[in-house]
Amino acid sequence: MATSSSATLSKTVKQQYMDLPQGDKCQAMYLWIDGTGEGLRCKTRTLDFEPKSIDDLPEWNFDGSSTYQSEGSNSDMYLIPAAMFRDPFRKDPNKLVLCEVLKYNRKPAETNLRLTCNKVMEMVEDQIPWFGMEQEYTILGTDGHPFGWPSNGFPGPQGPYYCGVGADKAYGRDIVEAHYRACLYAGVEICGTNAEVMPAQWEFQVGPCEGINMGDHLWAARFILHRVCEDFGVVASFDPKPIPGNWNGAGCHTNFSTKEMREDGGLKAIEDSIEKLGKRHSYHIRAYDPKGGLDNARRLTGHHETSNINEFSAGVANRGASIRIPRQVGQEKKGYFEDRRPSANCDPYGVTEAMIRTCLLSEEGDEPVDY
Amino acid sequence: MPAMSLSSRLNKAVRQQYLNLPQGEKSQITYIWIDGTGEGLRNKTRTLDFEPKSLDEIPEWNFDGSSTYQSEGSNSDMYLIPVRMFRDPFTLDPNKLVLCEVLKYNRLPAETNHRASCMKVMEEIKEHCMWFGMEQEFTLLGIDGHPFSWPTNGFPRPQGPYYCGVGADSAYGRDIVECHYKACLFAGINIYGTNAEVMPSQWEFQVGPCEGIEMGDHLWVARFLLHRVCEDFGIIATLDPKPVQGNWNGAGCHTNVSTKQMREEGGLQYIEQAIDKLSKRHPQHIQMYDPSGGKDNMRRLTGLHETASIHEFSAGVANRGASIRIPRQVGQEKKGYFEDRRPAANCDPYAVTKIIASTCLLYSEDKEESM
C-alpha cells in the first residue's frame, strides 16, 4: 500500500495537541515558489498578534541554495508577503501567506513571475479582466503509480470515470472533498470540482478572479492540495502527461473575459482576441509550462481532447481546438472564451500575463515588451 | 508498518478518559533535569496541594544520581533546584513543568550542570542586553534507528526537494512538528518558528530571541517537549549531529547573537569586533559546541553540506559555508546580529551561550589565561 509512513501517525494524538490554546500568538506560514517554477516551499514564524491585512506581515528571508535558487556563498533571498489566507490546517487565528521571492539585490528571482504579471495587470485594470482556471491533477501513491490503480498494472480503459461515482470509478474522492472544504475555509475562490477522464485524475476550478488574484488564488489552492495529500499520505502530481499511452493528460484550461466581452455584442471582442492569439502561438506555448513548451509537447498531441502543439485552432464547442468558445457564448454573442493550451504545471502568473499582453496590449512577435 | 513503538498503539481514547478526570486542588509538577551524558533529559513528577503561581512556591527535590550516570550508588542523592516553570501541555492546567539545576551531595554544581557558571557570566554582562536565537535541527527516526519514513534498508531520492517542502514525498513526519509547535506555545516557550530541513525526516525549530540565561532554559524545555511529543507518536527525535553518513546533511544548532550596541545604528562595527575576537578562540569554542569536546562535530563540520570545516575559522556575509554568517540584511542595514553556525545539534545551550558571551564581551588577549 503506497501511502506514506507519516499518514500512519496517530491523528487522535495529533488532535489533542492541535486543540491546545495558543494565547495571543499567531502562526504565519510563508509560502513561495522555488527554483523549479513548479515546486512550493513553506516555513512558519510566530507573531505576537493576529495580522488583519497583508501590510501587517513582515518581510522575511530564506536559504536559496537549498531551493535551487542561489549559491551557498551568497544564499540569502527575500520573502515579500503578497496575499494572505486563513490556515485550514492550523485554523484561526493562523495564516497562510503567499510571498514573492527577491534575490539578494532585491531584483525578482528567476521564477518570480508575479512581479511583471502584476505590472501588466495594473496597466489594463480598467478593462476588468477576469480569469477562471481549471486545474487538473493526478493522485499518485508514494511509489509514483496512480492511486488506486493495481500495482504494476492498469485499470479498465477510460470511459466510466469522468464525473463518476462508485468505488470502481472514483479513486480518492476524500482528497477532493477535503481540499474543497479547506479552500473555502481559507478564502480561496474555488468554484467547483469534478472527477476527470483518467481514473485517479481530478479537477478543481478557481475563479472568477480579477487580475493578479488569479495567480495568487491558484498557487494557494495548489499548496492546499499538496498539504491535504500529505496528510492522507498520497501525492498530487501536476505532470501534464503522467501516463503515456491511451490515457488523458492534465491541463489547466484558462477561461478569460473582459468587461467588454461580457457585455452585449461582446463576441466581437472575443473574436478579436482570438485572432491576436492566433498570430502568437509559439510565444504562448513557451509561457504555458515551466519548461518553455517541452512538458506540453508530451501532452498536446491532438488526441485525448487536446489540440496539436504545432498548430493553432479555434472553434465553438470544440475540445480539440486550442481555443474553445462555449456553445452558450456563441449563442448569446457575449461571455468569455477558453484557452485549452496551458499545462497542469503552468505558472498562472505567466499564463495570465501572456493573455493580457497579447489580447489587451496587442503585443506581437516572440518577445514580451518591456514597459 | 513503520517502526513505531508499541506504546504509541495503546488506545489514546482510553487515555483521554482518564486524563479528563478532575483533580480537585492538587497539581502535578514534573521536574526536568539534564543527566550525566550532558545530552539526555530525565523527569519525575510529584503532587502539590495547590497550584504554584511562581517558582518560589516549588520546593527543592532530589533523585538517585547513580541511575543517571551522575553519582556512585554509595552516595547517590543529588539535588534538584527549580529554575524555571512552564505550563504542562501534556496533562494541561493547573499542572507544571519545572526545569531544574542539579547539585551534587555537597551542593556544588553537577558535572553537566553548565547553567550555574553560565548564570554568573550572564550576570556580569547584563548591561549589554545580549540576545540569542538558536535554530535547533533534529532528525526523526523509527525505533529501529533508521530515519522515519525512509524505505527499509534503503534511501530516498537525493537532497533537493525537501527543504521547506510540502507533500507526502517531501515532508516526512510533519505531525510531530505541528504538535511540538502548539505544545511550546501553550507551555510558554519562546518558539520563533519551524521549517523542514534539507535532509528528508530532518526538521528545525527556532527558539528566541531570549536574553541571557533564558536561552538555555527555553531551549532545554523545548527539547523535552520534542522528545515527549515523539514518544506519544511512537518515534524518536535524535539530536545527533551526523545521523546518516554520506551525502546527507548533518544537524546543527546555529546560534544567532546580538547585543544592544549591535542592534543600534552603526552596530555593524560591534559585530565585526565580536567576530574578530571569536576568530582568536576557535578551538576553545569548538570544544564547548558539543558534549564530547568537539568529537561529535568532527563528523559534521566537513566544509560540505553548508558547514564550515572544523579546522578553520571563517566569516562572511550571507555565506552558509562559513563559521560565522552575517545575514545579508544586516550587511545592508549596518546593524543587527550575527550567526555562529558551528554548534552541533546536541550542544548544551548554556555552554554555547556562556562561551560566546565571555569571548565577545569579557575576553581580551591578555586575559586568556583566566578564561
Side-chain angles (χ1 to χ4, degrees):
Chain A
M1 170 72 132
T3 49
S4 70
S5 301
S6 293
T8 66
L9 294 170
S10 163
K11 304 307 172 188
T12 311
V13 170
K14 179 171 168 188
Q15 198 51 45
Q16 286 164 357
Y17 287 104
M18 296 309 280
D19 284 342
L20 289 172
Q22 49 185 87
D24 283 331
K25 308 282 189 184
C26 165
Q27 294 165 291
M29 183 179 244
Y30 284 51
L31 317 175
W32 71 97
I33 299 157
D34 73 15
T36 65
E38 300 177 60
L40 282 157
R41 309 280 179 142
C42 57
K43 60 172 183 166
T44 307
R45 71 190 295 180
T46 310
L47 300 175
D48 284 330
F49 59 94
E50 177 183 358
K52 297 296 183 208
S53 82
I54 200 80
D55 315 307
D56 290 343
L57 292 158
E59 278 187 19
W60 207 8
N61 54 70
F62 70 97
D63 171 14
S65 70
S66 295
T67 60
Y68 313 115
Q69 289 177 288
S70 68
E71 298 299 311
S73 53
N74 188 5
S75 56
D76 282 1
M77 299 187 79
Y78 295 102
L79 290 171
I80 315 297
M84 188 171 79
F85 298 88
R86 288 165 80 195
D87 184 332
F89 310 105
R90 299 177 173 143
K91 301 196 269 193
D92 291 334
N94 304 311
K95 307 291 178 215
L96 299 178
V97 180
L98 183 65
C99 298
E100 275 192 41
V101 177
L102 301 184
K103 292 191 289 204
Y104 70 95
N105 55 9
R106 309 282 301 185
K107 292 203 164 59
E110 266 77 41
T111 53
N112 174 0
L113 304 188
R114 188 185 191 276
L115 198 82
T116 47
C117 180
N118 206 6
K119 195 155 85 165
V120 155
M121 291 298 173
E122 280 172 1
M123 287 169 72
V124 300
E125 210 163 47
D126 54 322
Q127 300 195 49
I128 315 188
W130 286 1
F131 297 94
M133 292 179 84
E134 305 169 31
Q135 178 72 71
E136 293 179 332
Y137 63 94
T138 315
I139 303 176
L140 308 178
T142 49
D143 57 0
H145 201 48
F147 180 71
W149 287 34
S151 355
N152 211 20
F154 299 82
Q158 296 183 153
Y161 310 109
Y162 175 74
C163 300
V165 62
D168 50 347
K169 316 249 183 13
Y171 297 178
R173 188 189 298 277
D174 285 351
I175 275 90
V176 182
E177 293 297 303
H179 174 254
Y180 201 154
R181 190 60 65 89
C183 283
L184 289 175
Y185 180 95
V188 170
E189 281 296 327
I190 183 164
C191 56
T193 57
N194 60 271
E196 265 302 328
V197 175
M198 188 176 92
Q201 191 182 56
W202 295 83
E203 172 181 308
F204 63 88
Q205 306 94 28
V206 177
C209 288
E210 189 173 325
I212 196 66
N213 293 332
M214 183 70 254
D216 291 347
H217 282 241
L218 190 63
W219 275 115
R222 286 174 173 180
F223 176 80
I224 292 172
L225 180 64
H226 287 306
R227 194 57 196 80
V228 166
C229 286
E230 186 191 305
D231 267 1
F232 280 99
V234 296
V235 174
S237 167
F238 294 127
D239 187 78
K241 193 75 175 180
I243 310 288
N246 200 9
W247 302 98
N248 270 31
C252 196
H253 305 156
T254 302
N255 301 279
F256 176 62
S257 70
T258 57
K259 186 165 178 296
E260 194 186 348
M261 294 175 194
R262 296 190 289 274
E263 286 171 350
D264 282 335
L267 187 58
K268 168 91 178 45
I270 291 174
E271 286 165 348
D272 285 345
S273 282
I274 294 176
E275 195 181 326
K276 291 177 192 169
L277 287 166
K279 299 192 171 105
R280 232 185 165 201
H281 182 64
S282 56
Y283 162 75
H284 279 255
I285 286 295
R286 280 211 323 275
Y288 282 0
D289 76 36
K291 299 201 184 65
L294 284 172
D295 280 337
N296 245 343
R298 295 180 284 126
R299 166 186 163 251
L300 294 176
T301 57
H303 302 298
H304 300 113
E305 296 161 283
T306 68
S307 54
N308 188 295
I309 197 172
N310 298 309
E311 297 157 17
F312 178 88
S313 56
V316 175
N318 184 351
R319 282 183 165 76
S322 316
I323 307 278
R324 164 179 155 267
I325 299 172
R327 172 73 60 201
Q328 187 170 355
V329 172
Q331 282 167 352
E332 294 178 2
K333 312 235 178 291
K334 63 176 175 176
Y336 65 97
F337 67 88
E338 178 194 31
D339 189 336
R340 295 174 64 80
R341 296 171 293 174
S343 159
N345 63 347
C346 70
D347 186 325
Y349 298 126
V351 170
T352 54
E353 179 185 337
M355 290 282 244
I356 298 292
R357 283 179 181 275
T358 302
C359 300
L360 303 189
L361 296 172
S362 301
E363 287 181 16
E364 292 173 3
D366 267 357
E367 295 303 318
V369 173
D370 196 2
Y371 296 101
Chain B
M1 187 61 163
M4 287 160 24
S5 73
L6 229 47
S7 292
S8 68
R9 300 220 279 276
L10 294 170
N11 190 312
K12 304 304 172 189
V14 170
R15 177 173 93 170
Q16 201 50 41
Q17 282 166 357
Y18 288 102
L19 287 185
N20 285 340
L21 290 171
Q23 50 187 86
E25 297 285 298
K26 312 276 190 184
S27 73
Q28 295 167 286
I29 312 299
T30 299
Y31 287 57
I32 298 168
W33 72 98
I34 299 156
D35 72 15
T37 65
E39 299 179 61
L41 284 158
R42 308 284 179 138
N43 67 296
K44 59 172 182 167
T45 308
R46 73 192 292 181
T47 313
L48 293 183
D49 284 331
F50 58 95
E51 176 185 0
K53 297 295 184 210
S54 78
L55 202 61
D56 326 304
E57 296 181 339
I58 303 181
E60 276 188 20
W61 206 9
N62 55 70
F63 69 97
D64 171 14
S66 70
S67 296
T68 61
Y69 313 116
Q70 287 176 290
S71 67
E72 298 298 313
S74 53
N75 188 3
S76 58
D77 281 4
M78 301 188 76
Y79 295 102
L80 289 170
I81 315 298
V83 298
R84 200 171 295 268
M85 186 170 80
F86 295 90
R87 288 165 83 193
D88 182 335
F90 309 108
T91 62
L92 307 179
D93 291 332
N95 303 320
K96 308 291 177 211
L97 301 178
V98 176
L99 181 65
C100 300
E101 271 193 44
V102 177
L103 301 183
K104 293 189 290 200
Y105 69 94
N106 55 10
R107 309 283 301 185
L108 288 174
E111 265 76 45
T112 55
N113 175 0
H114 296 290
R115 189 184 192 276
S117 54
C118 180
M119 190 70 172
K120 288 210 190 77
V121 167
M122 294 303 172
E123 278 299 307
E124 246 188 284
I125 58 133
K126 203 155 57 166
E127 39 154 0
H128 290 276
C129 298
M130 194 170 231
W131 290 1
F132 298 96
M134 292 179 84
E135 305 169 33
Q136 178 71 70
E137 293 179 334
F138 62 94
T139 313
L140 295 173
L141 307 178
I143 47 167
D144 57 358
H146 200 48
F148 176 69
S149 194
W150 287 32
T152 332
N153 209 21
F155 297 84
R157 301 167 290 165
Q159 297 182 155
Y162 309 107
Y163 173 74
C164 299
V166 61
D169 51 352
S170 301
Y172 296 177
R174 188 191 300 275
D175 285 350
I176 274 84
V177 180
E178 292 296 300
C179 293
H180 175 252
Y181 204 152
K182 294 285 284 190
C184 285
L185 289 175
F186 180 89
I189 302 284
N190 200 351
I191 183 162
Y192 174 89
T194 57
N195 60 272
E197 264 303 326
V198 176
M199 187 176 92
S201 312
Q202 190 182 56
W203 294 82
E204 171 180 311
F205 62 88
Q206 306 94 26
V207 178
C210 290
E211 190 168 324
I213 198 68
E214 261 185 32
M215 183 70 254
D217 291 350
H218 280 242
L219 190 62
W220 272 114
V221 178
R223 286 174 173 180
F224 176 80
L225 297 188
L226 178 64
H227 291 304
R228 189 66 190 72
V229 167
C230 285
E231 184 191 304
D232 261 5
F233 280 101
I235 61 177
I236 290 168
T238 178
L239 303 189
D240 187 79
K242 193 75 175 180
V244 186
Q245 296 304 313
N247 200 11
W248 302 99
N249 269 32
C253 196
H254 305 157
T255 302
N256 300 279
V257 186
S258 70
T259 58
K260 190 162 176 295
Q261 285 175 320
M262 293 175 194
R263 296 188 290 274
E264 287 169 352
E265 288 306 313
L268 188 58
Q269 60 166 318
Y270 296 103
I271 293 175
E272 286 164 349
Q273 278 170 24
I275 293 177
D276 185 58
K277 292 185 184 168
L278 289 166
S279 72
K280 301 191 163 93
R281 297 192 85 219
H282 181 65
Q284 290 91 332
H285 278 249
I286 287 295
Q287 206 178 12
M288 301 308 284
Y289 281 178
D290 73 44
S292 322
K295 285 216 286 289
D296 286 335
N297 243 343
M298 289 226 60
R299 295 180 282 124
R300 167 184 162 251
L301 293 177
T302 57
L304 302 168
H305 302 116
E306 295 161 285
T307 66
S309 162
I310 198 172
H311 301 296
E312 297 157 18
F313 179 90
S314 56
V317 177
N319 184 351
R320 282 180 163 80
S323 317
I324 308 276
R325 165 181 156 266
I326 299 173
R328 169 72 57 199
Q329 194 166 348
V330 171
Q332 282 169 350
E333 293 178 5
K334 312 232 177 292
K335 62 177 176 169
Y337 65 98
F338 66 88
E339 177 193 32
D340 188 336
R341 295 173 64 81
R342 297 170 292 174
N346 62 347
C347 70
D348 184 321
Y350 297 126
V352 171
T353 54
K354 174 188 158 190
I355 196 170
I356 289 176
S358 309
T359 299
C360 293
L361 299 176
L362 299 173
Y363 167 75
S364 64
E365 273 167 292
D366 36 286
K367 278 167 81 177
E368 179 65 74
E369 280 295 308
S370 60
M371 287 189 80

